[in-house]
């Protein structure tokens, strides 16, 4: 087996700080969906960055937050358990330290983790002294291995971030094939891309109430397309109404945008059919959570 340098690197932080954006920018492909809505990332997602002499395996985590329903509890467990068995942590922040951030730092202390502080969204800050002000609020809280300002969205200083990590990689085997960028199956990536489009088109309680399940994928040899059928699960008839929209406009847009991205992802022409189904209280039913894809990674 080839010996190279590698590490498992968890990307951790409050919801919405830009963890998934950072993962995708580092990998150069959308492996984790992004949106301004909370609860966008529900799973633990691996993104693999391979060079000829090293492999960085990034672990995107759902943001840590206290939720009441069973889905939220599962999401929190995924976030916390992702910290086990990693070699390095990237702690992503976008503001001065507050209670949410210090709560996360408690986890680092419990496990004496090797943590790098990444101050993200510097494109939104006016000058260097604003960055320094944020950094200063963290320095006494934990013995960070390194501190780096970045913009995940604009891809600023990401090369510097990688270079900072290289000396901390550990000699070991290649964990993943060199062309593998994610541990997500094509089916999971498809359902996540559909969910991402739904998040962009809906507000308030709807994004939380949605799950997407790929029902079937069939090769259409005649038309040289892939026929994908997906079910969008919501909790109430009113949410179904919102999703479908006036004259089905909203669902049409969601379908068009999702199809475009899935085409690009798979380099194949897709025919996408979306069906909306109401399933009362699915977020609190263990059997439903499981069949909609939540829980296996625990
Ligand atoms: P996560 O919940 O931590 O995974 O955050 P996401 O990656 O889903 O991003 C949340 C929001 O922050 C999205 O709207 C992103 O476009 C935005 N965002 C992420 N990184 C940056 C950045 O570097 N600059 C700015 N201005 N916005 C960012
Ligand atoms: Mg995320």
């Amino acid at each position: 087996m080839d010996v190279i340098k590698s590490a498992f690197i968890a990307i951790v932080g409050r919801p919405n700080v830009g963890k998934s954006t950072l993962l995708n920018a580092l990998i150069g492909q959308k492996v984790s969906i992004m949106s301004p809505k909370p609860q966008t990332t529900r799973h633990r997602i691996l993104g693999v960055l391979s060079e000829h002499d090293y492999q960085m395996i990034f672990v995107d985590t759902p943001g840590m937050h206290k939720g009441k329903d069973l889905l939220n509890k599962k999401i929190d467990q995924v976030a916390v358990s992702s910290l086990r068995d990693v070699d390095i942590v990237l702690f992503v922040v976008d503001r001065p330290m507050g209670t949410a951030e210090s709560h996360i730092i408690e986890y680092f202390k419990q496990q004496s983790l090797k943590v790098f502080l990444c101050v993200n969204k510097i494109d939104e800050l006016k000058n260097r002294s604003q960055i320094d002000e944020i950094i200063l609020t963290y320095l006494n809280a934990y013995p960070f291995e390194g501190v780096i300002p970045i913009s995940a969205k604009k891809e600023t200083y990401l090369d510097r971030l990688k270079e900072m990590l290289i000396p901390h990689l550990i000699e070991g085997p290649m964990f993943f094939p060199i062309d593998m960028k994610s541990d997500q199956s094509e089916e999971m990536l498809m359902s996540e891309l559909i969910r991402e489009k739904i998040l962009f088109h809906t507000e308030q309680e709807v994004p939380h109430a949605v799950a997407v399940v790929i029902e079937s994928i069939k090769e259409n040899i005649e038309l040289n397309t892939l026929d994908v059928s997906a079910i969008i699960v919501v909790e109430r008839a009113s949410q179904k109404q919102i999703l479908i929209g006036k004259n089905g406009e909203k669902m049409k847009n969601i379908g068009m945008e999702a199809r475009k991205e899935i085409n690009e992802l798979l380099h194949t022409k897709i025919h996408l059919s979306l069906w909306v189904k109401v399933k009362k209280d699915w977020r609190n039913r263990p059997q439903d959570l499981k069949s909609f894809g939540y829980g296996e990674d625990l």
Side-chain angles (χ1 to χ4, degrees), residues 178-212:
I178 206 148
D179 57 353
M180 183 174 155
K181 292 199 165 170
S182 169
D183 66 337
Q184 304 265 89
S185 65
E186 282 183 351
E187 199 175 307
M188 278 169 90
L189 283 168
M190 281 193 246
S191 72
E192 284 288 89
L193 285 172
I194 296 166
R195 197 164 61 83
E196 183 186 66
K197 301 311 165 202
I198 296 169
L199 295 183
F200 272 101
H201 284 278
T202 56
E203 300 293 334
Q204 287 160 14
E205 95 278 10
V206 182
H208 301 281
V210 168
V212 179

Side-chain angles (χ1 to χ4, degrees), residues 9-267:
I9 304 165
I11 304 177
V12 173
R14 268 176 39 244
N16 228 25
V17 290
K19 298 179 296 296
S20 300
T21 308
L22 177 60
L23 175 74
N24 295 333
L26 287 166
I27 302 302
Q29 186 183 303
K30 193 188 278 184
V31 295
S32 191
I33 61 167
M34 308 166 279
S35 96
K37 309 277 158 64
Q39 230 193 61
T40 300
T41 308
R42 290 174 173 173
H43 295 282
R44 186 195 55 110
I45 292 168
L46 292 191
V48 186
L49 178 72
S50 296
E51 294 293 344
H52 68 281
D53 55 348
Y54 71 77
Q55 196 160 59
M56 295 179 186
I57 302 123
F58 294 99
V59 187
D60 186 14
T61 60
M64 293 181 188
H65 47 88
K66 296 260 169 272
K68 280 187 230 79
D69 60 34
L70 191 57
L71 175 63
N72 258 301
K73 290 210 176 89
K74 286 212 179 256
I75 290 173
D76 271 351
Q77 281 174 39
V78 171
V80 173
S81 66
S82 307
L83 283 179
R84 269 181 237 133
D85 304 324
V86 296
D87 307 301
I88 298 169
V89 174
L90 299 183
F91 180 33
V92 183
V93 301
D94 62 355
R95 62 176 196 191
M97 190 165 93
T99 43
E101 288 84 359
S102 65
H103 180 69
I104 296 172
I105 289 174
E106 286 308 309
Y107 287 107
F108 302 157
K109 287 183 180 159
Q110 283 167 24
Q111 305 183 48
S112 308
L113 290 163
K114 190 182 249 199
V115 183
F116 290 83
L117 180 70
C118 304
V119 179
N120 190 28
K121 307 194 185 180
I122 59 164
D123 56 296
E124 284 184 345
L125 300 177
K126 281 191 206 74
N127 49 46
R128 176 75 215 191
S129 72
Q130 272 190 311
I131 302 173
D132 289 339
E133 272 169 39
I134 294 178
I135 292 173
L136 271 175
T137 65
Y138 288 93
L139 286 185
N140 288 328
Y142 196 77
F144 293 104
E145 289 287 329
V147 178
I148 186 163
I150 56 166
S151 167
K153 196 173 177 178
K154 307 268 182 209
E155 307 197 0
T156 314
Y157 299 139
L158 299 190
D159 286 338
R160 216 192 264 186
L161 171 61
K162 286 180 212 167
E163 272 160 34
M164 197 163 83
L165 293 172
I166 288 172
H168 297 271
L169 303 178
I170 304 146
E171 228 163 69
M174 288 267 272
F175 284 98
F176 295 97
I178 206 148
D179 57 353
M180 183 174 155
K181 292 199 165 170
S182 169
D183 66 337
Q184 304 265 89
S185 65
E186 282 183 351
E187 199 175 307
M188 278 169 90
L189 283 168
M190 281 193 246
S191 72
E192 284 288 89
L193 285 172
I194 296 166
R195 197 164 61 83
E196 183 186 66
K197 301 311 165 202
I198 296 169
L199 295 183
F200 272 101
H201 284 278
T202 56
E203 300 293 334
Q204 287 160 14
E205 95 278 10
V206 182
H208 301 281
V210 168
V212 179
V213 184
I214 303 292
E215 194 191 29
S216 70
I217 305 173
K218 287 192 199 102
E219 234 176 303
N220 188 329
I221 296 167
E222 233 168 88
L223 296 174
N224 195 23
T225 58
L226 213 53
D227 292 347
V228 179
S229 171
I231 296 174
I232 299 169
V233 186
V234 290
E235 288 189 321
R236 284 201 295 272
S238 59
Q239 295 163 346
K240 177 172 174 173
Q241 223 45 49
I242 292 169
L243 256 185
I244 290 171
K246 234 189 204 159
N247 302 322
E249 276 301 307
K250 190 167 275 177
M251 196 37 68
K252 214 156 78 192
N253 288 330
I254 289 168
M256 258 165 27
E257 290 170 19
R259 177 168 51 80
K260 199 165 151 253
E261 281 217 33
I262 297 171
N263 278 347
E264 281 170 26
L265 176 80
L266 303 183
H267 307 290

